Amino acid sequence: MTLARSLPDDATEWWIFLGAFTLYVLGRWFFAWRQARREGDARPVRAAFAEEDGPDAVNAAPAGGFRSYRQFSGFVAVAVTVTLVAVLTDGRLRVGLLWIVVPLLTVALSYLDFREARKARSRT
């Protein structure tokens, strides 16, 4: 397989990966901040940064590295959608669609993960 690569070849691709990861993290923090603000927390920014699970976190064993099958299904649906857009389009249309679709799907995944983490915290 000569087309398969393990790491990006140029700096632009690294910036794209870094941007997607940053968008995901910012989405998680935004949703946590908004939830803390709705609950009337005195310091919603601090609550948003402390939102991540501590040492008593629920193990992510049921579906591989995912907490639920819903998260796994969301990840697969996003991967299939991005792959279909990349394969079925070309040129400017591909770039335009990917610049629209990927950020929207990344924020949707961060919201799904936020909801699953919130459910896990409420059960304990």
Side-chain angles (χ1 to χ4, degrees), residues 45-88:
V45 173
R46 184 174 291 172
F49 285 115
E51 186 263 343
E52 294 301 316
D53 298 324
D56 58 342
V58 179
N59 282 340
F66 300 95
R67 289 196 179 160
S68 72
Y69 291 106
R70 183 175 289 172
Q71 280 181 311
F72 178 71
S73 300
F75 179 78
V76 170
V78 167
V80 167
T81 303
V82 170
T83 302
L84 285 175
V85 167
V87 169
L88 297 177

Side-chain angles (χ1 to χ4, degrees), residues 14-30:
W14 280 107
W15 283 110
I16 291 170
F17 288 137
L18 183 62
F21 178 72
T22 303
L23 184 61
Y24 173 83
V25 170
L26 288 175
R28 283 288 301 260
W29 283 338
F30 172 75

